[in-house]
Amino acid sequence: MLPHPIINDFVIRFANVNGTGSASANNMFAKAIFRMGIPVTPKNIFPSNIQGLPTWYEVRVNEKFYLGRREGIDIMLSVNPQSMLQDIKDVKPGGYFIYDNSKPLHKEYIREDIHYIGIPLTEITTKEYSDPRQRMLFKNIIYVGALSALIDMEMSVLQALVEEQFKGKEKLIAPNHHALDLGSQFIKNNYKYPLEFRLERRNLLQNKILFEGNAACALGAIYGGATVAAWYPITPSTSVVDAFSDYASELRVDEKTGANNYAIVQAEDELAAMGMVIGAMWNGARAFTATSGPGVSLMQEFLGLAYFAEIPAVLIDVQRTGPSTGMPTRTQQSDILISAYASHGDTKQVLLIPNAPDECFEFSALSFDLAEQLQTPVIILSDLDLGMNDHVSNPMKWNDRKYKRGKVLTKDQLDKIQRYGRYLDTDGDGIAYRTIPGTHPTKGSFFTRGSSRDEYAIYTEDGNAYKRNMDRLSKKWETIKTYVPKPELFQKENQSKFGMVFFGTSHYSALEAKDYLNADGISLDAMRIRSFPFTKEVVDFIESHEFIFVVEQNRDAQMRTLLINELEINPKKLIRILNYDGMPITAEHIKREIKQSLNVDHLQMAEMQHG
């Protein structure tokens, strides 16, 4: 036992079998901690294959709001013999291994530097329940009850969650309360409790919520005016459209007639889904699709069409581990380059990169405004960790929203135009005026094509006309930089010659690592990139530091490549800090890599500094 209690700062991992109903119980456990006012972050680690394989659920508790994934497990609750040997190895020295001791452990499972807590879950469920399915399901609730005693969790919070979960099915409430009590009483009758790892109620969360990124994107799409979703199912983006369907069935229904004011179409593949989005937005609707890396690969042709024909489109890419099928249920940030330069030829696509559910909501709504204002595809780059896990988040702000449609000509405006030119740059910002079909009976029509054309949308293979169009698109790209979200800076003015750049869900661990490094005497300025193209603030931050550590979750340092390519930075100035094992990056990993880099490259850096 440790000499002093460790309050609200530990990691618990549940080791389960996929398909046994454990996800519901584990999620209830994490929500109970949140209800106690304590910052918590759960991560569901599940297989992409069939029922019966190992699955894990990792819960980090930290009242300093360090909510990235942390290395090392303090308490492991394992009910899966398949993974038990590895689960035991993952426990930190001094930690706890909780297991079903209905059968004794083999000697190879014994470590002298950890504590074992045996709970005869099989015996208890066999005695209490005759139905095999009840035994399987209630085993999960029993171990949650046992944990509540071990870490001093408030039983009343768990009981309230049970009552909420089974509202309308009141017959199930008492049996679940009984199962919680079975686990709690077993610990109280057989062990000293609580452990040194324990919870204490706090009031740290104020009005914050616990929410999934995919659901937040879907709600943001509703808020942003989306009425059409075209998609093809793919992990981990499927729940975006599932959530959109749920929200739309409540919020997109005509109050008088009861008719649905939305359409959700499952296409035959991802390419067709993107084609439907382009068609819907060309006709004036707000439409989107959601996919992951393999889907982005298939959508390349239509993304290029939308870029060159200048048709609004919105794509939510929930990134997963590639290439090819890769590891579909593991997270990564590896679609940066394929999204930024989606399609063949000279194309550049707008990227929005959220880091939390509230920003998923904000960027999802914003993407429809930007797509229409800029007349181009907008791609939201989320990832599996953000999309499919609950995160502590600021609440979504829902106000009366006025949609920004951009340069769309009305009937009256068309009446005043002698000859309409779809690709004429009349304002000097590279963005031409567009029309929506049916606006005027005789004016404003044009032929939408992916082949070369002149300013009046007339097909031509004249190289000069093609070059004028491409030059205008380059001018529009510069205009786009004034529309997209600026980066987030974590200091009012620079404090160090070293900077750290990160994006998306790397945010949590990067800031934690920054604190650890500062405690070791290494000061870093920090910036989170939120969009592409890169704004002036990104350029200024990089230029004002001698060296920049670029933190990202892929093998090939894709964001670093994009920065070098777009900003023409000396590659030696940008130092890779990478993680690509499919698990969320940790602060410990970032700290180690930066300290090692500083030690190894110190002489080289000094030479560059004075050379």
Side-chain angles (χ1 to χ4, degrees), residues 173-402:
I173 294 176
N176 278 275
H177 281 176
H178 178 62
L180 287 171
D181 190 58
L182 285 172
S184 176
Q185 287 302 319
F186 181 85
I187 294 298
K188 292 176 180 179
N189 293 336
N190 293 277
Y191 291 96
K192 292 182 178 180
Y193 67 96
L195 307 177
E196 64 268 32
F197 298 105
R198 63 186 70 167
L199 300 173
E200 280 186 6
R201 177 174 282 276
R202 295 285 188 265
N203 187 26
L204 299 171
L205 298 172
Q206 304 300 321
N207 64 341
K208 293 187 183 297
I209 60 174
L210 200 61
F211 211 56
E212 277 188 357
N214 281 357
C217 280
L219 192 59
I222 293 284
Y223 185 45
T227 57
V228 178
W231 69 305
Y232 185 80
I234 181 172
T235 301
S237 70
T238 297
S239 58
V240 174
V241 180
D242 287 344
F244 179 79
S245 176
D246 291 339
Y247 292 131
S249 65
E250 179 181 353
L251 301 171
R252 285 273 183 268
V253 178
D254 188 278
E255 293 182 1
K256 294 181 180 179
T257 66
N260 291 336
N261 292 329
Y262 66 94
I264 299 174
V265 184
Q266 181 173 329
E268 61 267 32
D269 56 35
E270 289 89 348
L271 179 62
M274 178 53 71
M276 293 174 185
V277 169
I278 292 170
M281 292 203 75
W282 179 76
N283 275 284
R286 288 194 157 186
F288 76 98
T289 187
T291 192
S292 189
V296 178
S297 298
L298 289 174
M299 293 176 180
Q300 295 282 302
E301 184 176 357
F302 268 145
L303 284 168
L305 170 66
Y307 170 83
F308 194 54
E310 296 179 77
I311 304 170
V314 172
L315 165 61
I316 300 170
D317 174 17
V318 188
Q319 298 168 95
R320 72 188 203 187
T321 302
S324 188
T325 305
M327 293 193 293
T329 58
R330 298 292 185 268
T331 196
Q332 212 165 71
Q333 297 173 324
S334 54
D335 295 348
I336 307 297
L337 293 175
I338 195 176
S339 299
Y341 299 127
S343 197
H344 52 275
D346 294 322
T347 57
K348 290 184 180 180
Q349 309 289 7
V350 177
L351 309 180
L352 304 181
I353 313 174
N355 74 323
D358 59 322
E359 214 166 62
C360 285
F361 173 82
E362 176 191 342
F363 284 3
S364 185
L366 175 65
S367 66
F368 294 96
D369 284 348
L370 292 181
E372 294 208 270
Q373 289 176 293
L374 306 173
Q375 301 174 30
T376 197
V378 174
I379 302 173
I380 298 172
L381 284 181
S382 178
D383 60 43
L384 183 146
D385 179 28
L386 175 55
M388 295 193 71
N389 289 317
D390 284 328
H391 295 264
V392 174
S393 171
N394 293 319
M396 317 302 163
K397 296 179 181 178
W398 192 291
N399 303 310
D400 290 335
R401 186 181 184 89
K402 293 183 179 179

Side-chain angles (χ1 to χ4, degrees), residues 280-522:
M281 292 203 75
W282 179 76
N283 275 284
R286 288 194 157 186
F288 76 98
T289 187
T291 192
S292 189
V296 178
S297 298
L298 289 174
M299 293 176 180
Q300 295 282 302
E301 184 176 357
F302 268 145
L303 284 168
L305 170 66
Y307 170 83
F308 194 54
E310 296 179 77
I311 304 170
V314 172
L315 165 61
I316 300 170
D317 174 17
V318 188
Q319 298 168 95
R320 72 188 203 187
T321 302
S324 188
T325 305
M327 293 193 293
T329 58
R330 298 292 185 268
T331 196
Q332 212 165 71
Q333 297 173 324
S334 54
D335 295 348
I336 307 297
L337 293 175
I338 195 176
S339 299
Y341 299 127
S343 197
H344 52 275
D346 294 322
T347 57
K348 290 184 180 180
Q349 309 289 7
V350 177
L351 309 180
L352 304 181
I353 313 174
N355 74 323
D358 59 322
E359 214 166 62
C360 285
F361 173 82
E362 176 191 342
F363 284 3
S364 185
L366 175 65
S367 66
F368 294 96
D369 284 348
L370 292 181
E372 294 208 270
Q373 289 176 293
L374 306 173
Q375 301 174 30
T376 197
V378 174
I379 302 173
I380 298 172
L381 284 181
S382 178
D383 60 43
L384 183 146
D385 179 28
L386 175 55
M388 295 193 71
N389 289 317
D390 284 328
H391 295 264
V392 174
S393 171
N394 293 319
M396 317 302 163
K397 296 179 181 178
W398 192 291
N399 303 310
D400 290 335
R401 186 181 184 89
K402 293 183 179 179
Y403 304 143
K404 298 177 181 179
R405 308 302 299 266
K407 295 182 177 181
V408 180
L409 293 173
T410 65
K411 179 180 181 299
D412 291 342
Q413 289 172 318
L414 285 168
D415 279 332
K416 298 174 184 177
I417 296 175
Q418 186 172 359
R419 186 185 181 194
Y420 169 61
R422 169 64 182 95
Y423 299 107
L424 278 173
D425 181 11
T426 58
D427 297 331
D429 60 1
I431 303 173
Y433 283 83
R434 67 188 179 104
T435 60
I436 294 175
T439 299
H440 195 286
T442 59
K443 291 185 175 183
S445 62
F446 62 95
F447 191 82
T448 301
R449 63 174 78 247
S451 51
S452 180
R453 71 274 159 169
D454 66 11
E455 288 80 355
Y456 295 92
I458 297 173
Y459 170 75
T460 180
E461 294 189 18
D462 179 1
N464 290 326
Y466 168 81
K467 185 176 182 300
R468 287 197 306 272
N469 190 57
M470 293 300 287
D471 288 344
R472 181 182 58 77
L473 289 172
S474 294
K475 183 188 293 184
K476 182 169 83 167
W477 189 249
E478 293 303 310
T479 299
I480 290 172
K481 294 177 183 179
T482 66
Y483 280 76
V484 296
K486 295 178 180 180
E488 183 178 10
L489 299 171
F490 295 90
Q491 55 283 319
K492 291 183 178 180
E493 56 184 35
N494 294 337
Q495 305 291 323
S496 172
K497 65 181 180 180
F498 298 127
M500 177 168 56
V501 169
F502 48 89
F503 57 96
T505 49
S506 301
H507 164 96
Y508 301 101
S509 293
L511 291 183
E512 184 178 354
K514 181 178 182 294
D515 287 350
Y516 293 160
L517 288 164
N518 189 59
D520 290 345
I522 300 172

